[in-house]
Amino acid sequence: MTDFPAPFAREVDALATEIGQLLLARGETLATAESCTGGLIAAAITEIAGSSAWFERGYITYANHAKAEMLDVPPAFIDGLGAVSEPVVAAMAQGAASHASARWAIAVSGIAGPSGGTPEKPVGTVWLAWATPAGIVTERQVFAGNRSQIRAATVYRALERLAQLLLEAA
């Protein structure tokens, strides 16, 4: 993966490979909805040969209106709470799964910096969501580092938690 240190890239590849094996064994598919990572999660997934058998599509919805247009995120969520919020990322995950007809989806929205942070949402704040057959799972993280490090940590966490959820659902 571009701009990721070699050991980190290997860990991401290993997670993406594991996710692919689990999805393939179940005959299920995955979609992504990305804001702050700008497609890095989809890129990590498509580094895996054969991922077309289990990766349906990725949505890069960096702009707020794209989240509403492509993923059916209610504009009131964005207007009321901001794009970096639990309701927005949950709606992104649901919208990605629904529009792609995928059983699983990952969604992320965050503040990668170096600017844009506030006392309530400092740089490094990222909301992640996973659409699963059992429902939506969300979490908030505050990652340290520069823009590249925050985005890399987001990719890793998104894949790490998806692998855990897939194993729990087995």
Side-chain angles (χ1 to χ4, degrees), residues 63-86:
N64 289 341
H65 69 273
K67 292 171 182 64
E69 288 174 13
M70 296 176 73
L71 301 172
D72 299 325
V73 175
F77 287 2
I78 296 168
D79 294 343
L81 300 167
V84 182
S85 64
E86 185 177 26

Side-chain angles (χ1 to χ4, degrees), residues 14-86:
L15 282 169
T17 298
E18 179 184 10
I19 288 164
Q21 291 168 346
L22 291 166
L23 289 169
L24 197 56
R26 298 172 185 202
E28 296 176 338
T29 58
L30 172 67
T32 60
E34 302 180 62
S35 187
C36 62
T37 50
L40 292 174
I41 297 169
I45 289 165
T46 57
E47 280 290 319
I48 306 307
S51 59
S52 61
W54 51 272
F55 181 62
E56 178 61 34
R57 68 187 78 166
Y59 299 91
I60 301 172
T61 55
Y62 205 71
N64 289 341
H65 69 273
K67 292 171 182 64
E69 288 174 13
M70 296 176 73
L71 301 172
D72 299 325
V73 175
F77 287 2
I78 296 168
D79 294 343
L81 300 167
V84 182
S85 64
E86 185 177 26

